[in-house]
Each structure stands twice: as structure tokens, then as C-alpha cells.
Amino acid sequence: QLAGFIRLLRKHEVTPVLVLQVYDAPPEPSIRDLRLDDSEEVRALILKLANANARTTYDQLTRIRVYQAQVLVEVVRRTGAAMGVQVIDPRPAFAQYHETAPLFCDVVHLTDRANHLLARPIAEQLHFPVRH
């Protein structure tokens, strides 16, 4: 659906820009090589990763959300690259923080402080003036 949305934007002479989602978990390298068009392979990998070392059902469910978010990020990254759309990756701006608790409400939702942090790399890559 993302590709169709990009085509629709371009049809209406809108230049799309994609921003990768930031989440409070280390990236899972195996997702970079995942066949995203194979929903069974995606589901199986997410469940395998979520069940590895999970101690509780809550832990499993949280990990499922994290890996689903990582798959979504990979879909956005690949679709943007394939369609020649600018893809902004703000995750390096977050990597400098060793204590991420003040930046996230949960593993995928940002606090106001983190949204401010997120805005800087977006503004810089879109060549908007950045206030310090």
C-alpha cells in the first residue's frame, strides 16, 4: 500500500519523504535480509525472535510489537529506496543516548522530548533551519 500511496502523491505533484520509525530496542539484523513479500516467513521470524529468551507472556507480546515495528521500518526503507523517495533515518540521533527511558512512553511511542530530538535530523535533511 505504501507504493500506491507514493504513486498517488506523485500524481498530485507532491514530493513524498519517508521517515523511519525510532523504537527503544536494538535492531534485529536478520530483518534486513527478510523476504517481506512472504508473510509466513515474516510471521515465523517475528514469533521466533519474540519467543527467544522471553520469560512471560507480557514479554513475548512486547517483543512481538518491537519486531513488527522493525519489519515496518524495513518495508518503508526498501520501498523508499526502490521508488527513489528520500528516506530519513533519525535513529543515529537516538543512538547517542545510553539511557533511553526518558525518550519513550513504551517501546515504540516517543515522549515530547524525543519528538523534539526526532525533529532535528528531519529538519536538517529537509534543509530547514534548525534552532539550537
Side-chain angles (χ1 to χ4, degrees):
Q1 292 175 339
L2 181 57
F5 182 62
I6 290 169
R7 286 191 292 276
L8 179 65
L9 289 172
R10 287 178 169 163
K11 178 181 174 184
H12 292 282
E13 299 180 7
V14 175
T15 303
V17 174
L18 301 173
V19 179
L20 300 182
Q21 181 177 350
V22 179
Y23 41 81
D24 190 17
E28 170 53 47
S30 62
I31 291 175
R32 284 284 252 192
D33 300 322
L34 192 59
R35 291 182 309 153
L36 297 173
D37 59 342
D38 185 340
S39 59
E40 184 56 36
E41 181 179 331
V42 171
R43 186 186 72 74
L45 179 63
I46 288 173
L47 290 176
K48 175 185 167 191
L49 293 170
N51 288 324
N53 302 318
R55 297 186 192 343
T56 65
T57 301
Y58 178 81
D59 191 30
Q60 288 172 316
L61 293 174
T62 300
R63 292 167 61 108
I64 286 172
R65 287 177 53 210
V66 167
Y67 294 122
Q68 285 175 324
Q70 291 187 22
V71 168
L72 176 60
V73 166
E74 186 61 17
V75 167
V76 171
R77 188 190 69 73
R78 288 186 200 180
T79 302
M83 297 188 76
V85 173
Q86 181 181 4
V87 177
I88 298 172
D89 186 353
R91 294 173 298 177
F94 285 73
Q96 67 185 351
Y97 291 88
H98 299 292
E99 178 53 47
T100 59
L103 302 176
F104 292 89
C105 298
D106 58 32
V107 292
V108 295
H109 295 101
L110 302 174
T111 62
D112 289 344
R113 179 177 173 193
N115 279 311
H116 180 72
L117 180 64
L118 175 70
R120 184 172 304 283
I122 294 171
E124 288 171 351
Q125 290 207 18
L126 293 176
H127 306 291
F128 290 132
V130 177
R131 292 187 323 217
H132 295 282

